[in-house]
Amino acid sequence: MVKAYLARVLAWFKGLSLVKKIITASGAGFLAFVLLFFIMLYLGIFGAIPNRNDLTNLEALQASTVYDETGDLLGKIFEVNRTYVSYDTLPENLVNALVSVEDERFYKHHGVDYRALGRVLIKGLLRGQNAGGGSTISQQLIKNTFGRRQRKHFGLIIEKFKEIIAAKRLEKIYSKEKILELYLNTVPFGENVYGIEAAAERFYSKHPSLLKPEESAVLVGLLKANTSYNPRLNPEASKERRNVVFAQMLKNKYLTDDEYNELCAKPLEINYNVASLSNHQPHYMALIEKTANELLADDKKRDGKPYDIKNDGLKIYTTINKSIQTAAENAMHEHIIVLQKQLEANWGRVRPWGADPKLLQNAIENSRRYNYLKRQGKSKEEIEKIFSTPIAMNIYFADKSRVIKSSPIDSIKHLLFQLKAGFVVRENKNGHLLAWVGSPSYEHFKYDYATAKRQVASTFKPIVYATALEEGYKPCQYYRNDKITYTDYDDWEPENADKKYGGKYSMAGALANSVNVVAVDLLYKAKKENVVEMAHKMGINSDIPALPSIALGVADISLNEMVTAYSIFGNSGELVPNRIITKIEDKSGKIIYENKSNDAEKVMDEDNARIMIELLKGVVDKGTARRLRQTYKLPNDLAGKTGTAQNYSDGWFIGLTPAITAGVWVGGDQPAIRFRSGTYGQGANMALPMFALMLKQLNADTSLNKYTQGEFAPLDKALLSKLDCADYVDDNGLEKFFNSLRTKELSDDKIERRNRRKKILRSVFDILD
C-alpha cells in the first residue's frame, strides 16, 4: 500500500512543470527542515527545555535575611538582591500596570500570544520596524529563571522557540496569579536588584504592598530598560516612561480618564534606600556568611543539595545588637577623624616613605590597578604613565568619601597614610558577639582588621599576671623595679617606658602603671611555657614564641582573640567560644540550626579571675586608662588595659564592664604608618577614646542598661585581704598608694586603718623634706 501511494505521488510530481517541481520540492524541503528542527529541539540537541519536573519546582533564588539579637533586620546576604513575596501582598495597581505594559492579553492566552508574535514578524521582518519582543510574561519568566544560552541570530530564534514550548508547559502547571507572583519575584530592576520586594525597598524604602499607583508605574517602567529609566539616574526619562505605563493602563481600562490625568500630573518622587546597596555590607555580614556556611557544611536540603547561603532565602538570627553595633561604628568614625588630623600634623610635610621608598613601591605593586595592568601586558613605562595621569576617583577621607580628580599614584599615597581600626564587643557570659567593626570603611577597606594579627603590646601583660596568680604568686608580693640584663636571652635588657627605676611594686601598682620590668620578672617567675599555655587556653590560637619579650607583647595576635581572652576575667575564669549565629531557618520557616549549647571551659581559678578584674580596675581608676574617668567622666564599673606597641605602630585598649568586653585596635597597614611621639601614639590616645565614645552612647540608652550599668561582684574579706597593700614601696621602705576608687569597697575599719597609715606616711615625708 505504501509503495502504491509513493508511486502515485512520484507520477504526480513527474507530471508537473519545471517551475512547479521547484516550488513543490522547496516547500517539501522546508517542511522537512521544520519537522527536523522541532524534533531536534524536543530531543534537546540545542539545549534542554525545562520539563514538568523543572517547572514544578520552579522558585526564585532568594537572598538570605539576617536579623540582630532583638529580631530587627540587619541586612541580606545574596548573589542577586532578591526576597520573595506572595501574590496576596501585591497591590492591584502594580499587577494592572505590569499586565498593561508587558502582556495585555495575559489573561486570554495560554503562554504564547500569537497576535503579538505575528505583529513582531510583520513589523520586524517585513517592514523593518521595532515592534517589541512579543514575549508573554510566561515566556519572560522562563527566560529570567533559566536564562538564555545564545543571544544572536539563529541561536536567538532557537532560544525563543524553547521559551515558547516551556511557557505552554508552565501554564498547564500554574495559575495566572502564581505566574505573576513568580515573575515579579525574579525580574531584574537594575542596580543588582531582583524582584519587586528588593526594588520597592531600594527606590521607595517600603514593602511592595504599600506601593502607590505612581510608584508601581515607575517600577514597571524600569523593566523596559533598567538604566535608561532609573528614577535616580534619569528622573525625566523615568517620568516619561511612567506616563507611558499610565497610558497603557488607560487603554486597557484599568484607569479612568480623570485618574489618568491626575496621575500623569504628579511629580516623580523616590525615597532611595542607600542601605540596601549590595556593595556596602559591613564586615560582620561577611563573618556571618562565613559562619553560616561552616555551620551548614554537613547539612543537605530535601533535594540532597547543600545549602546556598546567598540564594536559598534563609533566615539567619544573630547575636549582633544593632544599637551597640551602631555605637561602635559611630565611635570609630568620630575618633578616626581626630586621629588622622593628629597624624598629619605629627608628620608635617614629610611622609614615612621618604625614608623608606620600598614602603610606597610595595603599596603600588600590591594595588589591584597595578596587577591588572601587568596582566594586560603593559610595560613599566606605560604603567608609570597611567599611574601619573589624573582621573576621577571615589577617594576615602576619614570624615567622608569624596569623588575627586587624582592620579592613581597620589591616591595610593593618600590611602597608605590612612589609619585603620578594628572594634569588637563581646558578651562575657555566653560569648555572644554584640558588635564587630572591621575597618573605618568597608567600601574602601575590605580587609577585616578585627582579625589582623598585630603586636599586642602591654595588653598581653594581664595574661602574664594571671599565669603568675595561677602559679601561686600573690598580688601583694613586691617585685623589684630594677633594670635587669637577661644573659639567657642575648643579654636582653628591658626598659620601662618612663625610664624610671627603683623601689618595688605590688601587682596592682605595676599593672596600673604598665611597668615593663615587673612584667618580665613575673614571666620568668611563672615560666614562659606556662604563660604561652595559659594564652592558648584563653582562646588565643596565634603562634606565641616562648621568649621573655612576650611579656611586653611582641607577639602578633588578633583583636578578636584578645577580646575573647579578656572576657574570661569577666566570666569567673571560664572560656565560652565566640558565637554570632543563634538560629537558622529555611525559607519555609523550618529550623535547620539552633545553638543551645553552653560549652564553657574552666580556664583559671575563679578567685584569680576576680583578682585580675580588681587589678584591671586599678588601671582605669589610677593607671594608664584613667582618661576614662578624668576626660570622659564615665561612671561605670570598669576594668581595662591599654597597649602601645614599639615605635607607636599599634594602639590598643581592651575594656570590661561586668557584662561585656570591648576591644579596639588602631594602626596603619604597615608599622611605618605611625605616630612619631607618645603623646599621640599611645593606646590611651589612639584606641581608648573609641571605647569611651561608644560607652557614652550606650549609657544614654536605657534599653542597654544590662550591658553597662551592672557592678562587678564585691570581693569577700579573704580576697580583699590579698589585695590590701600599697601599690609601691620605695628604696627607703616607704609605701605609696596611687589614687584609687577601689577603697569604696573596703570595710569601714580597713578604710580607717589605711587612712591612719597614709597620715603616718605623710608625716614621715614631711620630716624627710
Side-chain angles (χ1 to χ4, degrees):
M1 184 181 292
V2 174
K3 287 183 179 180
Y5 177 76
L6 289 175
R8 287 198 300 270
V9 170
L10 186 60
W12 170 80
F13 183 76
K14 287 180 179 179
L16 296 175
S17 65
L18 179 61
V19 173
K20 289 182 178 180
K21 284 181 180 179
I22 295 173
I23 294 173
T24 302
S26 299
F30 176 75
L31 289 174
F33 171 79
V34 170
L35 180 61
L36 179 63
F37 171 77
F38 277 102
I39 291 173
M40 294 173 70
L41 198 65
Y42 271 91
L43 290 175
I45 304 298
F46 301 118
I49 300 173
N51 58 33
R52 185 177 183 84
N53 186 55
D54 295 327
L55 297 172
T56 301
N57 295 315
L58 184 67
E59 54 187 20
L61 300 177
Q62 298 179 42
S64 290
T65 48
V66 180
Y67 302 90
D68 82 342
E69 67 163 1
T70 67
D72 285 344
L73 180 67
L74 279 175
K76 300 176 185 178
I77 299 172
F78 52 83
E79 193 163 12
V80 291
N81 188 2
R82 174 191 291 135
T83 302
Y84 204 88
V85 292
S86 67
Y87 181 83
D88 294 339
T89 64
L90 300 175
E92 187 179 7
N93 62 68
L94 173 67
V95 173
N96 292 341
L98 175 68
V99 171
S100 296
V101 173
E102 295 296 323
D103 190 357
E104 59 186 0
R105 280 177 291 279
F106 174 71
Y107 295 107
K108 298 177 181 178
H109 63 66
H110 299 289
V112 182
D113 187 344
Y114 295 105
R115 284 175 58 183
L117 276 179
R119 183 188 70 243
V120 170
L121 288 172
I122 293 172
K123 290 188 176 182
L125 298 180
L126 301 181
R127 300 181 185 176
Q129 299 174 1
N130 182 6
S135 293
T136 63
I137 286 176
S138 299
Q139 290 171 257
Q140 292 180 52
L141 174 58
I142 296 297
K143 181 185 70 174
N144 294 340
T145 306
F146 296 98
R148 282 178 174 170
R149 294 173 58 193
Q150 306 174 74
R151 295 179 180 274
K152 292 183 179 180
H153 311 306
F154 184 67
L156 181 58
I157 295 174
I158 291 173
E159 295 299 317
K160 280 278 191 181
F161 274 110
K162 287 165 63 178
E163 287 166 11
I164 287 172
I165 295 168
K168 292 185 74 64
R169 291 174 178 174
L170 182 78
E171 297 238 359
K172 293 178 181 178
I173 300 171
Y174 295 110
S175 67
K176 290 290 185 178
E177 290 75 18
K178 187 64 178 181
I179 290 171
L180 288 171
E181 176 185 302
L182 289 167
Y183 176 85
L184 282 168
N185 279 291
T186 58
V187 68
F189 288 87
E191 298 190 5
N192 199 28
V193 169
Y194 288 74
I196 189 62
E197 195 275 346
E201 179 65 28
R202 173 65 58 84
F203 293 103
Y204 292 104
S205 302
K206 63 173 64 173
H207 189 270
S209 60
L210 302 176
L211 288 171
K212 300 175 183 177
E214 61 270 25
E215 295 167 343
S216 294
V218 167
L219 296 180
V220 168
L222 264 172
L223 301 179
K224 183 176 178 64
N226 296 160
T227 301
S228 298
Y229 296 123
N230 185 305
R232 178 177 64 90
L233 302 175
N234 301 299
E236 288 303 318
S238 177
K239 183 179 179 180
E240 288 180 12
R241 179 61 184 168
R242 180 201 70 178
N243 291 349
V244 169
V245 174
F246 290 146
Q248 284 296 109
M249 293 178 74
L250 176 65
K251 172 187 171 186
N252 287 282
K253 297 182 171 52
Y254 290 120
L255 293 178
T256 65
D257 289 336
D258 290 342
E259 288 172 333
Y260 168 76
N261 292 327
E262 181 183 350
L263 288 170
C264 286
K266 287 180 178 288
L268 180 78
E269 295 177 343
I270 62 173
N271 184 15
Y272 195 74
N273 184 1
V274 178
S276 67
L277 288 170
S278 61
N279 61 343
H280 291 281
Q281 298 282 31
H283 289 89
Y284 65 79
M285 292 294 282
L287 177 62
I288 290 166
E289 181 183 349
K290 176 177 178 290
T291 305
N293 277 316
E294 292 171 353
L295 293 174
L296 299 178
D298 298 327
D299 294 326
K300 298 288 188 292
K301 295 184 288 188
R302 275 180 252 178
D303 59 6
K305 295 179 181 178
Y307 283 99
D308 184 345
I309 306 298
K310 291 184 176 180
N311 292 313
D312 280 346
L314 307 178
K315 293 182 178 179
I316 303 173
Y317 297 89
T318 75
T319 62
I320 295 291
N321 182 291
K322 188 184 287 188
S323 297
I324 298 177
Q325 177 71 32
T326 301
E329 292 172 356
N330 291 343
M332 181 182 290
H333 178 72
E334 180 178 344
H335 191 59
I336 208 77
I337 294 172
V338 174
L339 288 177
Q340 196 61 44
K341 290 178 180 177
Q342 290 176 343
L343 182 70
E344 291 168 5
N346 199 221
W347 279 86
R349 302 180 68 177
V350 299
R351 289 293 181 263
W353 48 86
D356 184 9
K358 285 186 178 179
L359 182 67
L360 179 59
Q361 188 60 35
N362 288 339
I364 293 171
E365 293 177 1
N366 287 328
S367 69
R368 283 180 294 180
R369 187 186 302 271
Y370 180 89
N371 284 285
Y372 171 77
L373 294 173
K374 287 283 287 183
R375 289 194 301 271
Q376 296 298 308
K378 300 291 184 183
S379 67
K380 181 180 178 182
E381 292 73 21
E382 288 175 313
I383 292 176
E384 287 178 352
K385 182 178 180 181
I386 291 171
F387 266 68
S388 301
T389 304
I391 56 176
M393 292 184 179
N394 182 21
I395 302 290
Y396 166 84
F397 289 87
D399 58 344
K400 186 180 180 181
S401 298
R402 294 190 284 276
V403 176
I404 63 172
K405 203 164 188 181
S406 171
S407 67
I409 184 68
D410 286 338
S411 72
I412 289 175
K413 290 177 181 178
H414 171 78
L415 291 175
L416 180 59
F417 198 58
Q418 301 301 303
L419 289 172
K420 314 303 191 302
F423 202 146
V424 175
V425 184
R426 185 183 195 269
E427 197 167 357
N428 296 331
K429 66 180 180 180
N430 53 27
H432 287 184
L433 291 169
L434 300 172
W436 183 287
V437 189
S439 76
S441 169
Y442 181 79
E443 180 184 2
H444 294 278
F445 309 123
K446 297 293 192 294
Y447 184 75
D448 190 342
Y449 292 94
T451 64
K453 296 182 187 293
R454 300 295 292 244
Q455 191 179 98
V456 291
S458 292
T459 57
F460 194 80
K461 288 176 181 174
I463 298 173
V464 176
Y465 280 64
T467 308
L469 290 172
E470 288 287 296
E471 293 300 313
Y473 291 92
K474 308 300 181 185
C476 277
Q477 287 179 245
Y478 284 96
Y479 305 91
R480 295 293 309 176
N481 180 34
D482 293 337
K483 197 172 182 180
I484 299 173
T485 301
Y486 292 91
T487 56
D488 62 333
Y489 187 50
D490 296 331
D491 292 332
W492 181 52
E493 194 175 67
E495 296 181 336
N496 290 334
D498 61 5
K499 311 296 188 209
K500 295 179 181 179
Y501 305 95
K504 297 178 292 186
Y505 282 97
S506 67
M507 282 192 184
L511 189 60
N513 289 276
S514 205
V515 181
N516 288 342
V517 296
V518 173
V520 177
D521 186 26
L522 279 171
L523 179 107
Y524 267 89
K525 285 180 166 59
K527 296 184 180 179
K528 298 186 290 290
E529 57 272 20
N530 291 335
V531 172
V532 173
E533 182 183 358
M534 173 60 76
H536 290 320
K537 285 168 63 178
M538 294 176 73
I540 295 174
N541 297 317
S542 297
D543 188 35
I544 303 173
L547 302 172
S549 55
I550 63 173
L552 308 184
V554 297
D556 293 329
I557 302 172
S558 72
L559 173 64
N560 177 39
E561 291 173 292
M562 292 303 294
V563 169
T564 298
Y566 270 62
S567 69
I568 293 168
F569 301 138
N571 194 36
S572 303
E574 292 187 341
L575 169 66
V576 181
N578 274 352
R579 294 192 178 102
I580 196 168
I581 293 177
T582 56
K583 185 172 67 173
I584 303 176
E585 296 176 352
D586 66 14
K587 66 177 68 175
S588 67
K590 177 187 175 184
I591 296 174
I592 55 177
Y593 168 81
E594 188 167 19
N595 188 337
K596 294 181 178 180
S597 62
N598 186 22
D599 45 354
E601 179 185 352
K602 197 71 175 175
V603 171
M604 69 180 67
D605 181 78
E606 182 178 352
D607 285 352
N608 289 336
R610 295 177 69 188
I611 288 172
M612 284 306 305
I613 287 292
E614 290 302 306
L615 299 183
L616 291 167
K617 286 171 70 174
V619 177
V620 172
D621 294 336
K622 58 187 177 183
T624 57
R626 58 188 177 274
R627 287 192 192 190
L628 293 174
R629 304 293 190 204
Q630 296 176 353
T631 303
Y632 295 98
K633 310 298 182 186
L634 290 171
N636 312 68
D637 204 5
L638 296 173
K641 185 71 184 77
T642 57
T644 307
Q646 293 176 333
N647 297 322
Y648 316 115
S649 59
D650 302 88
W652 294 77
F653 181 73
I654 304 175
L656 300 94
T657 73
I660 63 175
T661 300
V664 180
W665 167 86
V666 180
D669 274 325
Q670 300 295 327
I673 309 302
R674 58 177 180 81
F675 285 102
R676 305 171 83 179
S677 68
T679 302
Y680 302 119
Q682 59 181 299
N685 180 69
M686 292 173 70
L688 178 147
M690 292 186 189
F691 173 90
L693 291 169
M694 179 201 71
L695 194 54
K696 289 185 77 170
Q697 294 175 70
L698 303 191
N699 285 343
D701 187 344
T702 56
S703 69
L704 301 174
N705 281 356
K706 70 174 183 175
Y707 298 119
T708 60
Q709 301 306 311
E711 293 186 355
F712 291 106
L715 302 182
D716 57 31
K717 289 187 177 182
L719 286 180
L720 278 172
S721 65
K722 290 184 179 182
L723 292 163
D724 188 18
C725 55
D727 297 311
Y728 174 77
V729 178
D730 69 12
D731 290 330
N732 297 313
L734 296 176
E735 296 180 335
K736 182 177 180 181
F737 298 87
F738 305 127
N739 291 329
S740 174
L741 301 180
R742 186 173 58 82
T743 55
K744 68 182 181 181
E745 297 172 354
L746 301 176
S747 60
D748 291 340
D749 60 319
K750 291 244 178 135
I751 293 173
E752 186 178 347
R753 192 172 73 226
R754 173 153 292 173
N755 287 337
R756 284 201 304 270
R757 186 160 52 183
K758 286 185 177 181
K759 288 179 182 178
I760 294 171
L761 286 171
R762 280 197 292 269
S763 299
V764 173
F765 286 132
D766 290 341
I767 293 170
L768 291 175
D769 287 341

